[in-house]
Amino acid sequence: MTPPRIGLTPTDATEAVLREIRPLPTETVSITEAIGLVLARAISSPIDLPHWDNSAMDGYAVRASDVGTDGVILHIVDHIPAGAFGRRAIGSGECARIFTGAPIPDGADCVIRQEDTTAIETAKVRVDDVRDVGRNVRRRGEDILRGSVVLERGTVVGPAQIGVLASVATPSVEVHRRPTIAILSSGDELADLNERDAILSGRKIASSNNYTMAAMARMAGAEVLDLGIVKDDLDETRKRLADAHGSALLVTSGGMSVGEHDYLRRILEGSGAACRFWRLRMRPGAPVGFGMIGGTPWIGLPGNPVSTMVTFELFVRPAIRKLMGHTQLFRRTTPVRVGEPIVTQAQLQHFLRVTLSVDDGELTARLTGAQGSGILTSMARAHALLIVPEDRQRIEQGEILSALLLDETIHVTSVPY
Ligand code: AMP
Ligand code: MG
């Protein structure tokens, strides 16, 4: 058994995990199913978009050379709603009634908006204002040119990308497969919510980690295979780990510490050359393991609920994103002003749970309350993880530190735009 490697930083551990993770193979899926996935191939357009010059207004398609001054009267020779094409070319002194999106007829080169005209007789119209001369035509190909790349390889497919794909008549795309993340919690003290009586009577504690880990995996874009809870028993644990076979990644919680009931750690350390166990230079969440089990990468997280979530955020989420083919794996940090003095208890890099609020145009971070690694409500209130460098055990109010934004969860109370 390899002794624990003491003193690895979270950055080094993240990089070590990511070195062992490869993007999943690709598959072709319908654009509807592609939401949140990453394009494995660039998409070129088979058409110009728009397909023809068309009207940006309801009005009259005219020849600019006919409407040099206000008050010109034109003959209406055609009527072109969206979905129709003009039946004839527009000659001198003529125009066509036209509607938004309809193709500009031959001969015409601009559209006078309806509000600037007066109908004279059934087939005649007067142009009262010439401000639209030369305007209101959406040009063929002004959005997308046939043959051009509309979405690069590596693009994340969101609603707008799905819209672009649909608009160029592309029904399916090649993407990196959506990973399935297997999740397992260990501990004799744990119960799922179907053993509610045991939890309410105080004989067991709820395995909230199954729920937080599954939710975080789904939010990152993965599917979840929840393997439930395993007792602190070596054989039982080995058996249950095998159920992760076929998943892209196994994530476990608990059983990573130094106690004699910490079987996950023992199995991980015995599982082969590529395996590592770290006592990381961070709080919360020091004991983290990484290895391979039956060909499946395995990240072992500590069991304390806050530690589980913070280490999932730092080590598992980027791994999920790499499996999905993302090239940007990390959430951003932002400078924040610290709203209260902070003292840390150990020379470790701290990831403190904070709320962020906008004070005088600046983000201010305040602790969400007691920071114990078992106090999950501190995480439930957090917008961000405030990063306190390991050489800083005392932070004064007003200092600037970096905060890792957990989500775009900062909201304000009134319409800001
Ligand atoms: P461990 O990392 O196994 O030593 O677990 C540390 C502590 O975390 C345990 O005593 C439990 O209180 C808590 N814990 C472990 N696993 C879970 C879980 N799945 N859900 C909620 N709390 C847990
Ligand atoms: Mg345990």
Side-chain angles (χ1 to χ4, degrees):
M1 267 208 277
T2 41
R5 303 216 336 225
I6 307 233
L8 205 60
T9 64
T11 306
D12 290 340
T14 304
E15 284 168 357
V17 167
L18 293 174
R19 268 197 295 278
E20 308 291 332
I21 303 277
R22 299 277 167 276
L24 290 181
T26 64
E27 63 180 352
T28 299
V29 300
S30 75
I31 57 174
T32 313
E33 291 168 301
I35 184 83
L37 297 176
V38 178
L39 291 182
R41 235 184 244 282
I43 303 292
S44 302
S45 176
I47 51 172
D48 285 330
L49 203 73
H51 220 303
W52 3 257
D53 292 355
N54 71 91
S55 178
M57 289 277 179
D58 291 340
Y60 294 86
V62 305
R63 299 159 71 101
S65 54
D66 280 350
V67 276
T69 55
D70 295 348
V72 172
I73 293 173
L74 299 170
H75 286 272
I76 307 169
V77 297
D78 206 352
H79 183 97
I80 318 172
F85 291 85
R87 283 163 302 180
R88 48 163 293 183
I90 303 303
S92 183
E94 295 178 343
C95 69
R97 181 80 174 104
I98 196 164
F99 300 87
T100 304
I104 303 291
D106 287 346
D109 51 26
C110 57
V111 174
I112 306 294
R113 76 188 74 177
Q114 186 172 318
E115 298 89 316
D116 290 354
T117 65
T118 308
I120 308 279
E121 300 158 25
T122 40
K124 282 190 187 168
V125 66
R126 188 180 65 224
V127 176
D128 300 321
D129 191 325
V130 295
R131 62 179 162 162
D132 282 344
V133 169
R135 298 176 59 183
N136 298 333
V137 176
R138 302 169 177 157
R139 293 286 165 206
R140 173 177 187 146
E142 74 176 12
D143 186 358
I144 295 169
L145 284 174
R146 180 178 172 182
S148 67
V149 170
V150 284
L151 297 173
E152 302 283 352
R153 174 171 176 239
T155 300
V156 184
V157 181
Q161 288 73 24
I162 291 177
V164 168
L165 290 163
S167 68
V168 298
T170 300
S172 58
V173 284
E174 192 176 334
V175 291
H176 291 279
R177 286 211 312 252
R178 196 183 290 282
T180 297
I181 309 301
I183 278 168
L184 178 69
S185 285
S186 81
D188 282 346
E189 73 278 28
L190 303 175
D192 194 3
L193 298 190
N194 57 11
E195 291 181 73
R196 199 158 167 262
D197 287 347
I199 300 165
L200 294 180
S201 66
R203 280 177 284 125
K204 300 270 183 189
I205 67 166
S207 182
S208 57
N209 289 350
N210 285 76
Y211 292 86
T212 54
M213 291 192 293
M216 291 177 89
R218 289 200 180 97
M219 291 286 276
E223 265 163 27
V224 170
L225 175 65
D226 189 344
L227 301 178
I229 302 163
V230 66
K231 295 239 172 287
D232 290 322
D233 175 275
L234 187 59
D235 290 339
E236 191 57 28
T237 303
R238 275 191 208 287
K239 251 189 254 158
R240 293 294 284 287
L241 288 173
D243 292 341
H245 186 74
S247 304
L249 177 68
L250 166 66
V251 185
T252 59
S253 89
M256 278 291 142
S257 306
V258 294
E260 53 267 51
H261 299 288
D262 289 319
Y263 293 109
L264 281 173
R265 177 188 167 179
R266 286 210 240 159
I267 294 169
L268 188 124
E269 288 188 316
S271 71
C275 105
R276 297 163 180 81
F277 176 74
W278 299 305
R279 192 152 276 288
L280 299 177
R281 303 191 58 79
M282 68 180 283
R283 185 167 284 173
V288 172
F290 176 68
M292 297 295 262
I293 183 149
T296 304
W298 169 16
I299 303 178
L301 306 180
N304 273 308
V306 176
S307 307
T308 308
M309 288 193 76
V310 170
T311 51
F312 192 109
E313 180 63 41
L314 300 191
F315 309 120
V316 180
R317 191 172 182 277
I320 292 175
R321 287 177 65 80
K322 187 160 181 189
L323 287 166
M324 294 180 73
H326 287 277
T327 47
Q328 296 185 319
L329 306 183
F330 310 105
R331 295 194 201 271
R332 71 191 182 100
T333 58
T334 190
V336 295
R337 195 168 289 284
V338 177
E340 62 196 290
I342 292 173
V343 179
T344 63
Q345 301 303 325
Q347 258 206 345
L348 297 168
Q349 188 176 23
H350 280 67
F351 294 85
L352 302 179
R353 277 72 67 208
V354 292
T355 60
L356 298 179
S357 56
V358 183
D359 296 350
D360 295 330
E362 249 187 356
L363 282 178
T364 302
R366 291 187 183 82
L367 298 179
T368 55
Q371 296 284 309
S373 60
I375 301 177
L376 193 50
T377 51
S378 76
M379 195 70 194
R381 284 190 287 270
H383 295 133
L385 299 175
L386 182 72
I387 303 173
V388 182
E390 68 171 44
D391 59 357
R392 294 297 316 280
Q393 283 181 252
R394 227 203 126 71
I395 306 293
E396 304 303 334
Q397 180 174 353
E399 281 192 53
I400 303 284
L401 289 181
S402 244
L404 184 73
L405 296 174
L406 288 175
D407 207 342
E408 294 306 322
T409 50
I410 310 165
H411 291 75
V412 291
T413 45
S414 51
V415 182
Y417 43 82

